[in-house]
Amino acid sequence: MLFSAKADYACLAMLELAARHGDPKPIRLADIADKHGIPQRFLVQILLHLKGAGLIVSTRGASGGYQLARPPADVTLLD
């Protein structure tokens, strides 16, 4: 089965957030985009969808970024 680029990038972003789940500091969008070669403008749209689905939360400000909304063990691909 083939996935769209959007689904592939969403999975990569979620895996990155899950890998850093214990870190109290939110992960910057630019860090995820640069590490995985995802265009930032596209990643913004993807993260907004994930936020709307309740999978991630965002923190605004200079030290802001994104974190999982719940523990990685509670997140499935079906979500």
Side-chain angles (χ1 to χ4, degrees):
M1 175 185 289
L2 296 176
F3 293 102
S4 67
K6 190 173 188 177
D8 188 35
Y9 290 156
C11 288
L12 284 172
M14 289 295 289
L15 286 171
E16 185 67 28
L17 292 170
R20 297 188 191 181
H21 180 67
D23 190 355
K25 184 178 172 186
I27 304 164
R28 293 181 29 219
L29 176 129
D31 292 341
I32 297 170
D34 292 343
K35 183 173 182 179
H36 297 285
I38 305 170
Q40 285 190 25
R41 297 173 98 192
F42 194 34
L43 185 58
V44 168
Q45 296 172 0
I46 293 167
L47 292 177
L48 285 173
H49 283 291
L50 294 173
K51 184 178 175 184
L55 296 173
I56 63 173
V57 293
S58 63
T59 305
R60 297 179 70 178
S63 61
Y66 295 89
Q67 294 177 307
L68 289 179
R70 53 187 186 219
D74 295 342
V75 179
T76 66
L77 188 57
L78 183 60
D79 292 331

